Amino acid sequence: MTMNQTTRVDQAVLQERILEQARAILKCEDIGPQTYFLEVGGDSLVAPILANKIEAEFGVRPQLEDIFTRSFGELAELLRAA
């Protein structure tokens, strides 16, 4: 599902897709909505990769600052509001 296919993406679907992308990129299965990117080994080299994947799937690119300072659940809420 992409933002181009629908105007409203279900919050749970958006959050789960972001979590799946983060788990794959960071090679860490222990990532949930309350997890922060930096807590699970994320860094400035990996953040743009995650931002690119989110943009490719949902048509909205998160700011790198948001990836660094928000939990994955908060990031999903922010992107859904965008």
Side-chain angles (χ1 to χ4, degrees), residues 22-37:
R23 289 175 186 133
I25 291 167
L26 296 167
K27 296 176 178 57
C28 177
E29 290 299 314
D30 193 27
I31 296 176
Q34 303 303 318
T35 306
Y36 285 81
F37 179 75

Side-chain angles (χ1 to χ4, degrees), residues 30-52:
D30 193 27
I31 296 176
Q34 303 303 318
T35 306
Y36 285 81
F37 179 75
L38 294 174
E39 291 177 335
V40 288
D43 60 31
S44 62
L45 299 175
V46 179
I49 296 169
L50 179 59
N52 288 341

Side-chain angles (χ1 to χ4, degrees), residues 21 25 37 46-57 60-64 67:
Q21 291 170 345
I25 291 167
F37 179 75
V46 179
I49 296 169
L50 179 59
N52 288 341
K53 289 196 175 285
I54 291 170
E55 181 179 29
E57 185 164 351
V60 178
R61 183 179 180 83
Q63 297 293 315
L64 296 181
I67 291 174

Side-chain angles (χ1 to χ4, degrees), residues 62-75:
Q63 297 293 315
L64 296 181
E65 179 181 349
D66 292 325
I67 291 174
F68 289 124
T69 61
R70 298 177 186 267
S71 70
F72 289 109
E74 292 169 341
L75 185 60

